[in-house]
Amino acid sequence: MPTYSFRNKNTGEIHDEVMRIAAREQYLLDNPHLESIITSAPAFAGDHITIKTDSGFKEVLQKIHERTPGSQLNKSSSQI
């Protein structure tokens, strides 16, 4: 479930709530003294994004590496 941040319009206090997307609107209606705010980008698993590539892309990186002396593409393609 997502975490939403809310600011109290009267005090300026910010707090987070974990709830379903559908529950957010009702929560705001039930608490008119609160407003929804955006605090930061969401963290992904492990705080990074993993890109899964196919073997064709890895082959292209290998060919670039072979034709470019000193290239680090071969090392990075093993991490992709």
Side-chain angles (χ1 to χ4, degrees):
M1 279 192 277
T3 302
Y4 295 101
S5 296
F6 299 96
R7 178 182 13 242
N8 186 316
K9 295 177 189 177
N10 302 325
T11 65
E13 179 185 351
I14 296 173
H15 72 280
D16 295 332
E17 295 286 338
V18 177
M19 64 181 71
R20 292 191 166 111
I21 294 170
R24 182 180 160 274
E25 286 302 317
Q26 187 60 49
Y27 184 77
L28 287 169
L29 290 174
D30 294 342
N31 298 282
H33 62 286
L34 297 178
E35 63 183 350
S36 182
I37 61 169
I38 298 173
T39 54
S40 63
F44 294 96
D47 203 28
H48 67 280
I49 299 173
T50 303
I51 300 172
K52 189 173 184 177
T53 58
D54 63 7
S55 60
F57 182 70
K58 290 180 182 179
E59 184 179 340
V60 169
L61 290 178
Q62 179 63 34
K63 287 180 181 180
I64 293 171
H65 173 70
E66 290 169 359
R67 295 181 180 141
T68 312
S71 169
Q72 297 296 312
L73 286 175
N74 190 35
K75 291 181 182 178
S76 65
S77 66
S78 64
Q79 297 172 350
I80 294 178

